[in-house]
Amino acid sequence: MSKTIHVSVAWPYANGDLHVGHLAGAYLPADIFARYHRLKGNRVLMVSGSDSHGTPISVEADKRGVTARSIFEHYHHRFLLTQQKIGISYDLFTHTDTVNHTRIAQDIFTLLLERGFLYKETQQLLYSQYEKRFLPDRYVEGECYICGYPDARGDQCDNCGNLLDATRLINPRSKSHPDERLIVRETEHYFLDLSIFTDRLLHYLDVHEPHWRPNVVRFSRNFVAEGLRGRPITRDIDWGIPVPLEGWDDKRLYVWFEAVMGYLTASIEWAKNTGQPEAWMDWWYNPEAEIYNFIGKDNIPFHTVIWPAELMGIDGIYNGNSPGLSLPYDVPANEFMNIEGRQFSKSRNWAIWLPDILERYQPDAVRYYIAATFPETHDSDFAWDGFFNRVNGELVATWGNLVNRMLSFAWKRFDGVVPVYDTLTEADKAIIARSEEGFEEVGALIEQVRLRDALAACMALAREANGYLDVRKPWSAIKEDPADAARSVYTILRVIDNLNLLFAPFLPFSAQQVHEYLGYDGALFGVQHIESFDEDGRAHEALTLDAAGAIGRWEKRKLHPGQPLREPAALFAKLEPEIVEQERAYLGAPRDEREVVE
RNA sequence: UGCGGGGUAGAGCAGUGGUAGCUCGUCGGGCUCAUAACCCGGAGGCCGCAGGUUCGAAUCCUGCCCCCGCUACCA
């Protein structure tokens, strides 16, 4: 029976390029999962987008002396190109500065307010008369009121380690204008009253515990058990979504509050864009639908506690107040991927940027290494010698070589067609059966979001197939007993056909190539486009998926004897050992941001 | 300071009371259609540290150390 699956992926801040951490934490696992379910024939909606708002974007804009909007538009465009290049197959990758997202975020605010889930509170915050704005704690320094250390940060003293209240600092000053004296000023903000949802959240966690990762459950339960405090959902800034209330023109919705709504708003936008405006409800008002949020570990409480609370608070929205709005079914949060043993750092350029490495390596090689080292159970490490070893030793040598050795053998010795055989031996039938079992075995692992194990299972099958060849030796048989060579070559091509589908969610580009080498026509997956959409005279760009022509299916293949093959070529480029040192030299060195080209 | 996760051959991981395993790499041998796979064999671990329970501990208990996240604006 076909399932309905929503794949919601963390929204990247559009203040810098995507790096391998983004890919490892959320985007690649989401893509593999979505591709698998599409192959299974399940109804999949995969959405995400650029987070256009938030302090990180304003900070970057200040640094460069440009507007926040121009920063996010610049990186949004690069996100589209980069993700198209590495094949993250969103049905829609949009952003949060759309008319659609703004309208819905404001509707949600209004509904929560009407239902009594928000409250107003006066806060004391530091204000800069020079910059005419309230300063976030991290923008402030001053003398510590506990130990007297002169350069304490607004939130914490680096000398005595105590957490600080920024308004109590002695002689507080702005980091950007240290000579100016800051004043304390009162300001009003709305808070989301999370504690109202405590019991329902605990119940929600209980219900989902059996199929969640243990660390996600434990963390979330603890987060709730410690007591939920109200969280401010408005800010004194000018870049963001306006608060839909009279007299609140100077304030905006807090980014953490509105960005997660993107899962819903992008679904609604997708429905509208595709000319079926009600279709989003098949996921959001359907008790059978399963919503998966792919995120990094830093985001766990936002997705397992705060976002579900927001959803509980707006249940019935756009549905005539009839309840049943879907909550996340699973939040398979990944841990972090370090770089050569050290934590990612944008400021020190200790990072591996996707636009850069996609100029030098095949997308499937990058996808393979990252998927093989997914930080599913604990932090992992992107190491260039590891990349070199796994690509050459596993991807090229085991899978690539299996495909290459037998496709070129069949091409040369069987006149470019799938061999026509008389009968199959027990060994032949056994290896075909093994490859067919893979659909069940690998599929089950992917459904549990154990993607690293799933990929390892594919590779183990490729090893078995290589072992089979060593026993059957078609290169010897072709001389003494051509009929037997026809049996084993047919068998191995059929096994390759099966394994190719198993690898396809991980390696979609090379899977398409193998598909064509085997003589098939058509595309396994849909085609990704960058499209422009118009809303009330304002245009925005998005990444979309046209899956109409996709013919790939997650099922046993029946390769026809006599089917004409196409001339094969090596699937994967073998890496030179020099790349290890070359790539390491880029780490920590100044970086030029280059145009992303197709 | 709290809460959660992690620490097992050179690398990546599995292993919740009974002889410490898998993949890659490495060394030796076999084979050779191929971007050198596959087979056979070898080397390589005080399972973070210290104590305890037990006939027996990587596994259970206690204390400590290190890394990461959240608490608090770096995926």
Side-chain angles (χ1 to χ4, degrees), chain A residues 80-123:
Chain A
L80 301 179
L81 292 167
T82 304
Q83 297 189 99
Q84 183 180 40
K85 220 167 163 180
I86 199 159
I88 308 299
S89 58
Y90 302 103
D91 292 282
L92 179 67
F93 184 90
T94 178
H95 62 66
T96 58
D97 194 44
T98 62
V99 174
N100 174 71
H101 181 80
T102 302
R103 177 182 62 81
I104 298 169
Q106 292 179 333
D107 284 354
I108 290 174
F109 175 92
T110 304
L111 186 57
L112 290 171
L113 184 61
E114 285 170 5
R115 291 185 177 177
F117 297 133
L118 306 183
Y119 63 92
K120 214 168 10 176
E121 201 169 275
T122 300
Q123 292 182 293

Side-chain angles (χ1 to χ4, degrees), chain A residues 219-279:
Chain A
F219 188 94
S220 306
R221 201 186 287 288
N222 191 260
F223 188 89
V224 178
E226 277 180 354
L228 293 169
R229 288 168 295 162
R231 293 183 77 102
I233 60 169
T234 55
R235 301 226 84 186
D236 291 291
I237 50 175
D238 56 11
W239 176 237
I241 294 181
V243 180
L245 289 174
E246 295 272 333
W248 283 66
D249 301 342
D250 294 342
K251 300 178 198 268
R252 297 291 180 268
L253 297 182
Y254 208 147
V255 65
W256 69 258
F257 175 67
E258 53 95 353
V260 278
M261 296 172 191
Y263 302 142
L264 176 62
T265 68
S267 306
I268 293 173
E269 186 191 332
W270 167 84
K272 204 181 310 175
N273 291 346
T274 53
Q276 36 180 354
E278 304 293 312

Side-chain angles (χ1 to χ4, degrees), chain A residues 407 410-411 414-421 486-487 489-494 497 517-520 558-566:
Chain A
L407 279 173
W411 176 259
F414 287 89
D415 299 323
V417 300
V418 176
V420 179
Y421 62 93
R487 292 173 206 133
V489 173
Y490 170 79
T491 297
I492 199 67
L493 293 184
R494 182 148 159 185
D497 196 8
Y517 292 156
L518 285 169
Y520 294 111
K558 296 270 191 298
L559 184 64
H560 292 299
Q563 173 163 301
L565 301 167
R566 292 192 176 88

Side-chain angles (χ1 to χ4, degrees), chain A residues 138-293:
Chain A
R138 289 287 169 102
Y139 279 175
V140 177
E141 287 176 340
E143 189 180 326
C144 177
Y145 54 87
I146 296 170
C147 73
Y149 179 67
D151 298 316
R153 294 180 353 221
D155 56 341
Q156 183 172 18
C157 176
D158 287 333
N159 186 52
C160 66
N162 283 295
L163 305 184
L164 303 180
D165 173 358
T167 59
R168 290 177 60 198
L169 286 173
I170 300 161
N171 295 322
R173 57 184 190 271
S174 161
K175 273 187 182 171
S176 39
H177 302 91
D179 296 333
E180 185 206 356
R181 198 182 163 99
L182 300 175
I183 60 170
V184 174
R185 190 181 269 199
E186 287 199 337
T187 179
E188 264 195 326
H189 283 293
Y190 274 100
F191 285 66
L192 175 64
D193 199 348
L194 283 171
S195 61
I196 292 176
F197 301 99
T198 300
D199 291 342
R200 294 171 66 187
L201 286 168
L202 286 172
H203 177 70
Y204 167 70
L205 293 174
D206 284 343
V207 169
H208 291 83
E209 171 163 3
H211 60 272
W212 280 22
R213 293 186 180 171
N215 58 331
V216 176
V217 174
R218 274 195 283 266
F219 188 94
S220 306
R221 201 186 287 288
N222 191 260
F223 188 89
V224 178
E226 277 180 354
L228 293 169
R229 288 168 295 162
R231 293 183 77 102
I233 60 169
T234 55
R235 301 226 84 186
D236 291 291
I237 50 175
D238 56 11
W239 176 237
I241 294 181
V243 180
L245 289 174
E246 295 272 333
W248 283 66
D249 301 342
D250 294 342
K251 300 178 198 268
R252 297 291 180 268
L253 297 182
Y254 208 147
V255 65
W256 69 258
F257 175 67
E258 53 95 353
V260 278
M261 296 172 191
Y263 302 142
L264 176 62
T265 68
S267 306
I268 293 173
E269 186 191 332
W270 167 84
K272 204 181 310 175
N273 291 346
T274 53
Q276 36 180 354
E278 304 293 312
W280 63 274
M281 299 174 93
D282 294 349
W283 285 270
W284 289 93
Y285 280 106
N286 174 3
E288 300 299 316
E290 295 178 0
I291 297 190
Y292 291 80
N293 292 346

